[in-house]
Amino acid sequence: MNHSPSAAQLDQKYLWHPFTQMRDWMKSKPIVLERGKGAHLWNNAGQKYIDANSSIWTNLHGHNHPKINRAIRTQLDKVSHVSALGFANSPAAKLGERLIRLAKPRTRFPKTEPRLAKVFYSDDGSTATEVAIKLAYEHARRTGRARKPRFLSVDAGYHGDTIGAVSAGHIDMFHKAYSGMLFKTDKVASPYCYRCPFNKAKPQRADAREYRKCNMECVEQVEKKFESRRKRGSDYAAFIVEPGVQGPAGLIAQPKGWLARVGAIARAHGTQIIADEVMTGLGRASAGYFASHAEKIQPDYLCIAKGLTGGYLPMAATLTTQEVFDSFLGEYDEFKTFFHGHSFTGNPLGAAASLASLDLLESGDTNQKRSCLAANLKLYSKPLWKLDMVGDIRQSGGVLAVELVEDWKTRKPFDLPKQVGIRVCNAMARRGVLTRPIGNVIVIMPPFCTTQPQVKKIFNTLRDSIKEVT
Ligand SMILES: Cc1ncc(COP(=O)(O)O)c(C=O)c1O
């Protein structure tokens, strides 16, 4: 008889999971995921699931994709890792060129928009935004734009868990405990149409962005924020924003035109823009490859992570301009170097996976899959409007949020201690669909390869689970 402890037992004995109340975690046996193929995952008992949140928003083309696997294996047979401190490697160099090309707008943008020219690698979304924040801070100081550079961000924004990223974030539940460690940043209102105080429309059975009644007062507030900063004798160093959708805030999808207008205000004040496309980028949340481009914004810093390697390995990139790069050039003893980096910066395995993933991403086949997925999400989510507990369904490309409420007519949220989102997701898991909620918001963000029957199953499962729980 085999008496060695199971993976679930070892996990519960030794591990500490991210963003998880471990007391709750210990109450039930965890799902141990063992293998995957396409949009499917299997646990160690052979039960099959649909990965409806792309393994925390990372996986683009499905699990176990032969092309990405092959690229990793080929690189593995050469070398797994070499240092970017003092050395170059071919996959990282090729990926740099590829990312700059990918980040070029496909349509005509105003000439005033910056051109991205340089790539700085890191490991994940937090480090990608941390790099952007540090670069923007120092660039603003060196160019004399601001003596004490300050950042503006969006309420409920989330940019990661490192200290700079947390400082720029505004989700109290995650960030308040650490306020003593953080630097101060200003914030503007989040364009959360469903719960916006300026939206005078009564609830309807549609995405709140479509029926909102307001004059985009949220944008006026942004203008005021910039003006009041200027009156104090300085402009912001940078405005940091999640273009298109504020992910961890609860997939708050921005109304069309918001980012274009807010971006124009930032530009008029000489403020740089950091686009945190960690979740939205690489075709996840827009028809193009980057959600900022849908609003004709080319940021000064473009942060890419989660899906960069297709979601296979941890790797991230911060793209920036020649101008920013040049402000760090100097004689050795001027010490203008960007003193920042990580042991695994520019990892060749990650870069090889990324190149294979980008080949897939830019293929006609994937473009078709992405538009089919977006159409299927729209089609099969529609029947959910019949449920009284569904308050808002908001979709941006391949990203869809279902916000659960006590009653759609009042928009009254469920109290968080009721754990409605968690319970619905647990009920979905029992039925073979995996996702993770954000409070009362159910996230549906499957890989691009998810088929029509699979999307149908996701939403049937969600409907049955909502009924079961509420
Ligand atoms: C918009 C955004 N920025 C940054 C991050 C942080 O990324 P990571 O968890 O890879 O550090 C996340 C993670 O969810 C995110 O959604």
Side-chain angles (χ1 to χ4, degrees):
M1 227 156 74
N2 181 8
H3 288 295
S4 54
S6 68
Q9 286 167 330
L10 288 173
D11 177 292
Q12 289 188 314
K13 183 160 182 197
Y14 292 108
L15 300 195
W16 189 342
H17 284 256
F19 287 91
T20 301
Q21 176 41 256
M22 292 306 288
R23 186 177 283 177
D24 291 341
W25 178 261
M26 304 305 286
K27 284 181 191 158
S28 54
K29 199 172 152 195
I31 296 171
V32 180
L33 294 171
E34 202 163 70
R35 64 192 173 91
K37 184 81 198 149
H40 282 130
L41 289 165
W42 283 263
N43 74 4
N44 55 357
Q47 187 178 342
K48 186 160 115 176
Y49 300 94
I50 296 176
D51 186 0
N53 84 342
S54 296
S55 295
I56 205 68
W57 317 351
T58 57
N59 191 293
L60 296 186
H61 311 290
H63 297 277
N64 218 338
H65 196 291
K67 287 197 174 148
I68 303 179
N69 286 2
R70 200 178 315 126
I72 296 172
R73 280 199 194 102
T74 305
Q75 183 56 40
L76 195 59
D77 285 337
K78 293 181 186 167
V79 67
S80 304
H81 184 60
V82 290
S83 172
L85 281 81
F87 304 100
N89 76 71
S90 175
K94 283 185 185 155
L95 180 61
E97 186 210 22
R98 191 74 185 267
L99 286 172
I100 292 299
R101 225 174 343 118
L102 188 79
K104 246 190 200 147
R106 298 295 191 272
T107 54
R108 192 176 288 197
F109 274 30
K111 282 213 173 70
T112 45
E113 288 302 290
R115 283 166 64 112
L116 297 172
K118 296 286 174 185
V119 176
F120 193 96
Y121 290 120
S122 59
D123 308 335
D124 49 44
S126 306
T127 49
T129 56
E130 197 78 20
V131 165
I133 289 167
K134 281 176 83 173
L135 287 177
Y137 177 91
E138 196 48 13
H139 180 69
R141 231 176 44 80
R142 288 181 186 190
T143 53
R145 284 168 188 231
R147 268 172 292 121
K148 283 191 181 166
R150 189 150 166 153
F151 291 85
L152 183 66
S153 45
V154 182
D155 197 16
Y158 178 85
H159 304 290
D161 293 334
T162 50
I163 291 305
V166 173
S167 298
H170 297 283
I171 299 184
D172 275 357
M173 193 197 290
F174 302 162
H175 300 155
K176 207 170 168 191
Y178 305 101
S179 56
M181 300 167 72
L182 308 179
F183 56 84
K184 189 154 173 35
T185 58
D186 290 343
K187 65 180 179 188
V188 293
S190 167
Y192 188 3
C193 298
Y194 182 61
R195 298 201 175 278
C196 177
F198 299 115
N199 179 7
K200 300 286 175 269
K202 289 221 162 68
Q204 293 179 22
R205 306 316 271 150
D207 179 336
R209 290 174 296 170
E210 287 165 18
Y211 64 83
R212 72 189 158 83
K213 273 194 200 146
C214 69
N215 295 314
M216 279 219 166
E217 287 88 344
C218 55
V219 176
E220 285 166 26
Q221 286 202 339
V222 174
E223 178 80 65
K224 280 186 191 145
K225 199 88 194 171
F226 273 93
E227 275 165 15
S228 84
R229 180 85 194 143
R230 182 163 278 184
K231 274 187 197 141
R232 274 189 254 129
S234 182
D235 284 316
Y236 288 108
F239 173 59
I240 177 164
V241 60
E242 295 160 74
V245 185
Q246 285 184 269
L251 299 187
I252 297 176
Q254 294 151 11
K256 202 167 177 319
W258 179 84
L259 184 61
R261 289 180 61 184
V262 167
I265 296 168
R267 293 267 178 255
H269 284 259
T271 294
Q272 293 200 309
I273 297 174
I274 300 174
D276 174 352
E277 295 238 23
V278 167
M279 184 278 279
T280 54
L282 303 172
R284 182 73 82 180
S286 60
Y289 295 125
F290 295 100
S292 9
H293 292 179
E295 294 273 308
K296 292 222 179 293
I297 295 290
Q298 180 69 318
D300 301 88
Y301 308 87
L302 176 61
C303 307
I304 307 172
K306 289 186 180 282
L308 177 57
T309 60
Y312 283 48
L313 290 165
M315 185 169 201
T318 306
L319 277 53
T320 191
T321 60
Q322 188 69 42
E323 185 200 336
V324 171
F325 180 80
D326 287 349
S327 65
F328 285 77
L329 296 182
E331 295 305 322
Y332 175 79
D333 58 2
E334 288 179 87
F335 301 121
K336 290 170 87 177
T337 304
F338 182 41
F339 290 107
H340 183 104
H342 306 280
S343 308
F344 286 98
T345 294
N347 174 255
L349 279 182
S354 304
L355 285 166
S357 176
L358 294 186
D359 281 347
L360 291 171
L361 182 68
E362 292 189 272
S363 68
D365 181 47
T366 300
N367 279 328
Q368 198 184 345
K369 280 180 178 150
R370 286 204 291 130
S371 56
C372 281
L373 175 64
N376 287 330
L377 290 176
K378 194 175 169 106
L379 177 69
Y380 291 107
S381 61
K382 243 184 203 160
L384 291 180
W385 286 116
K386 291 195 190 117
L387 303 179
D388 286 347
M389 304 86 186
V390 168
D392 196 32
I393 303 177
R394 35 187 187 264
Q395 184 188 352
S396 307
V399 174
L400 187 139
V402 178
E403 181 159 345
L404 302 175
V405 289
E406 280 198 5
D407 181 356
W408 75 269
K409 293 194 193 89
T410 61
R411 296 194 184 107
K412 187 170 186 288
F414 285 108
D415 292 335
L416 282 185
K418 288 186 180 157
Q419 300 196 348
V420 169
I422 292 174
R423 281 159 52 212
V424 167
C425 289
N426 288 343
M428 290 174 78
R430 287 195 293 278
R431 292 172 167 85
V433 175
L434 300 180
T435 186
R436 188 179 163 87
I438 305 168
N440 293 321
V441 175
I442 309 297
V443 174
I444 306 296
M445 196 189 301
F448 301 149
C449 61
T450 310
T451 61
Q452 185 175 8
Q454 289 166 343
V455 173
K456 193 172 171 188
K457 174 166 176 173
I458 291 173
F459 285 104
N460 285 345
T461 302
L462 175 55
R463 178 202 59 210
D464 295 346
S465 302
I466 294 172
K467 282 185 182 167
E468 178 192 313
V469 168
T470 57

